Amino acid sequence: MLIPATGEGAPHLKIEANIAASTVTMMRHLRADSRLWWGALVISWFWLIGIVVLSLLPPLIKTLIGGNEQTITAYLAIFSIAVGVGSGVAAATARGRIVLGTTLVGAVLLGAFALDLGFATFGLTPANAPQGPAVVFTSPLGVRAAIDLCGLAIAGGLFIVPAFAAVQSWSGTDRRARTIAAVNILNAAFMTGATILVAVMQKSGVTVPALFLLIGVATLSVALAIWQTMPKA
């Protein structure tokens, strides 16, 4: 009742019953617009990083940092709150405008914090016994990991908010819902591919710290690509 009526953006749209055909059509439209495609790739990279980091956090905290289940929960809480902080900072910076420079800053910070977390835990032997938050957060490694995860999350908020706002702004009202749907399809493809790739790499013996280092290097490469290809808002 409190949501204002907006009307229909595309009142004459004919629904395609063939899901595969409509999906292909949406993806072609997304790919045809260079700005929308740029934004979709940026957003999909955020979700790729997100799913990989969240899947690696529990084994990283439990095995190398030495935290128990309560410690894992504490780190995840820090991570979740920091994402909101980063999103709020991005929104405050934009002030209703599209400021894509914030996405570039977020990409650089994402890469930097991922690299630091990888270096901080690289070569560590598995912890002997899991410890609670009170013990872990008083250790140098525990504090450094918390700072890195907090930095990753804040950077993620800076990274995603301007890009997603830009995609919505660039989409016409008659195609906005379908554009977001196409972006979500690409997100799912990135997340699925990343999950499979990480599983294969771990099966091949790649360690969690090494994966964070790879994430850092890859994201800094993405930051360079963003800087080179960033469209005008």
Side-chain angles (χ1 to χ4, degrees):
M1 295 177 60
L2 299 179
I3 300 177
T6 59
E8 299 179 19
H12 304 297
L13 175 66
K14 294 183 179 180
I15 304 300
E16 173 62 64
N18 188 320
I19 296 176
S22 62
T23 299
V24 170
T25 299
M26 288 191 299
M27 295 306 297
R28 283 177 176 171
H29 172 76
L30 185 67
R31 185 68 183 88
D33 189 313
S34 60
R35 293 196 306 175
L36 290 178
W37 185 246
W38 180 92
L41 291 175
V42 170
I43 294 169
S44 294
W45 186 258
F46 167 83
W47 287 109
L48 182 154
I49 295 297
I51 196 169
V52 171
V53 169
L54 287 177
S55 67
L56 295 178
L57 279 185
L60 177 79
I61 296 166
K62 188 173 184 178
T63 304
L64 298 178
I65 298 176
N68 58 16
E69 295 299 326
Q70 289 72 31
T71 305
I72 294 173
T73 301
Y75 273 109
L76 290 176
I78 292 172
F79 189 85
S80 300
I81 294 171
V83 170
V85 171
S87 300
V89 171
T93 302
R95 298 179 182 177
R97 304 164 297 161
I98 304 299
V99 183
L100 295 179
T102 310
T103 291
L104 177 59
V105 172
V108 173
L109 292 177
L110 272 171
F113 282 113
L115 282 175
D116 190 69
L117 186 57
F119 283 125
T121 55
F122 193 81
L124 291 180
T125 57
N128 294 324
Q131 303 290 336
V135 175
V136 172
F137 288 131
T138 56
S139 68
L141 177 60
V143 172
R144 182 175 176 181
I147 292 173
D148 284 336
L149 290 176
C150 186
L152 272 170
I154 291 175
L158 295 174
F159 184 81
I160 185 62
V161 169
F164 197 77
V167 168
Q168 293 184 72
S169 176
W170 295 334
S171 305
T173 55
D174 60 330
R175 295 200 64 94
R176 184 166 295 143
R178 283 171 287 172
T179 298
I180 299 303
V183 172
N184 289 338
I185 293 169
L186 192 62
N187 294 345
F190 269 60
M191 288 189 288
T192 301
T195 302
I196 295 173
L197 180 59
V198 168
V200 170
M201 294 176 72
Q202 287 186 299
K203 185 70 174 179
S204 302
V206 180
T207 64
V208 172
L211 287 170
F212 272 103
L213 291 174
L214 288 173
I215 290 171
V217 171
T219 304
L220 289 178
S221 299
V222 168
L224 178 61
I226 288 173
W227 177 64
Q228 294 176 331
T229 62
M230 185 185 301
K232 293 182 179 180

